[in-house]
Amino acid sequence: MFESPIIAAPMAGGTTTTDLALATQRAGAFAFAAGGYKSAEQLAADIGPLRDAGTGFGVNLFVPRTGPLAAADAAALTAYRSELWATAARLGADVPTAPAPEDPRARDFWEEKIELLLREPVLVVSFTFGLAPVDVVAALQAAGTWVMASVTSVAEAVAAAATGVDALVVQHRSAGGHSAAFLPATASVLTATLPQLLAEVHAAVNLPLVGAGGVSGPAQARAALDAGAVAVALGTALVRTDESGARQLHKDALADPAFAQTRMTRAFTGKPARALVNDFVREHSATAPDAYPEVHFLTAPLRAAAASSGDAQALNLWAGTGWKSAQDGPAAAVIEGFLREL
Ligand SMILES: Cc1cc2nc3c(=O)[nH]c(=O)nc-3n(C[C@H](O)[C@H](O)[C@H](O)COP(=O)(O)O)c2cc1C
């Protein structure tokens, strides 16, 4: 399915630029464009140069939540909004209300992006944050696309396989950025290593697997491939590269010894994501509700204000547990470093 054992993971929010995807692809990786947070028009514009390059690539989309927030989470969201005002005032930002459920932003422009990918198919489409409906999977496949679901456990892998997808991204909890999880974590998810998780999923589901999470060097990549993965996805290892669109503040924080650990937090978006621990994470993780994408919209102006004032303590510094190995310089050097050792 993939001609390379190395995949440039999709990183929405600005990190995966078209330049980053092209650079990793030219260096021998399989590249994903990040479709999350984008309208169909923005996505079409971003993948144009990848189509022109003539090499197959993937597009990643966020599966929107179906149904309203649970009452307890809605109440916690209201309380969280009040809590954020003090931080917002310090940053000189507002705390907006979240868009209404019928607002296309609340569904991350899902329908129009699926339409785009059916009209102008790409080689691979991967989903995260949930399972795409069976009819969407089948329609993409009928258009000639390989469809992948992102999972974090055996239970999620079994559920994903039942939707008819062609392959799975098995994301370990060491991964930077949002967790792909859509079912409650089992004990094994909290203790297994990436190779162990891959072996468990491999035994349960007969689909090609891509390993993701904590692949910070060739040794981790080799261990994942030996455990049954057909390829591994690199996220954090590419964030500091020249072609990455991550903010300089984020890139610098990844190399700053003052940031000593990562943790899973809902504080920025309402969905668990792994980030470097900063003041925002310390202050808000305990109270942040399970309310994605509402919290994402509430904190967006705070994050923008933090970025423009150079305040890394209030920014979402997504990072996997292997962040200390992330290198700056050309993305090609990172990819070539992995490929040489494999
Ligand atoms: C900055 C950042 C943004 C991310 N955005 C996405 C995304 O849009 N879609 C997705 O499926 N995964 C996303 N991820 C997760 C990656 O696809 C991948 O699973 C993860 O980075 C692998 O772990 P690593 O960071 O330890 O390499 C993101 C990760 C990071 C670090």
Side-chain angles (χ1 to χ4, degrees):
M1 177 176 194
F2 296 108
E3 277 167 18
S4 174
I6 299 293
I7 289 175
M11 292 185 280
T15 300
T16 294
T17 57
T18 304
D19 278 354
L20 179 61
L22 285 169
T24 54
Q25 200 159 52
R26 275 195 295 265
F30 184 90
F32 271 87
Y37 307 128
K38 287 177 189 156
S39 67
E41 290 75 31
Q42 286 169 317
L43 177 61
D46 281 0
I47 63 179
L50 287 161
R51 290 189 197 278
D52 295 344
T55 324
F57 62 93
V59 169
N60 173 256
L61 295 186
F62 297 167
V63 179
R65 189 181 71 219
T66 48
L69 279 181
D73 295 327
L77 178 67
T78 305
Y80 193 56
R81 188 159 181 270
S82 306
E83 175 184 318
L84 288 174
W85 274 111
T87 309
R90 187 170 52 72
L91 290 164
D94 265 347
V95 188
T97 47
E102 60 278 10
D103 186 318
R105 287 177 302 154
R107 292 181 54 73
D108 200 35
F109 311 97
W110 169 259
E111 285 78 9
E112 56 180 77
K113 284 188 282 199
I114 295 295
E115 259 172 49
L116 167 74
L117 294 170
L118 289 175
R119 206 170 52 240
E120 297 172 31
V122 297
L123 190 60
V124 181
V125 170
S126 73
F127 294 107
T128 189
F129 300 171
L131 299 177
V134 174
D135 59 329
V136 170
V137 173
L140 288 166
Q141 287 168 331
T145 296
W146 282 77
V147 181
M148 303 183 70
S150 305
V151 301
T152 64
S153 67
V154 171
E156 290 180 353
V158 170
T163 67
V165 295
D166 300 294
L168 302 176
V169 178
V170 178
Q171 188 200 47
H172 184 252
R173 63 192 314 280
S174 55
H178 283 117
S179 165
F182 55 90
L183 295 176
T186 54
S188 145
V189 166
L190 300 175
T191 54
T193 61
L194 175 62
Q196 287 166 344
L197 180 62
L198 283 163
E200 283 179 25
V201 173
H202 194 59
V205 167
N206 187 23
L207 287 174
L209 308 179
V210 170
V215 181
S216 54
Q220 290 84 10
R222 173 50 49 212
L225 296 171
D226 287 348
V230 296
V232 291
L234 310 183
T236 302
L238 294 168
V239 174
R240 291 186 63 217
T241 60
D242 296 344
E243 297 87 349
S244 151
R247 293 177 166 117
Q248 195 56 45
L249 204 54
H250 185 181
K251 293 182 178 182
D252 291 346
L254 288 168
D256 182 348
F259 293 100
Q261 50 177 328
T262 66
R263 67 165 282 187
M264 284 280 201
T265 179
R266 285 199 192 109
F268 295 107
T269 68
K271 183 183 279 299
R274 187 170 292 281
L276 291 176
V277 174
N278 60 7
D279 288 347
F280 196 96
V281 171
R282 273 186 288 267
E283 283 165 27
H284 299 295
S285 292
T287 41
D290 184 357
Y292 180 90
E294 285 82 355
V295 175
H296 161 78
F297 290 107
L298 257 53
T299 68
L302 282 70
R303 289 179 277 129
S308 59
S309 64
D311 180 359
Q313 292 301 330
L315 201 61
N316 54 318
L317 303 169
W318 298 152
T321 57
W323 89 96
K324 287 181 187 161
S325 307
Q327 299 292 312
D328 59 4
V334 175
I335 301 298
E336 284 157 9
F338 276 86
L339 289 176
R340 211 171 21 245
E341 297 289 323
L342 295 173

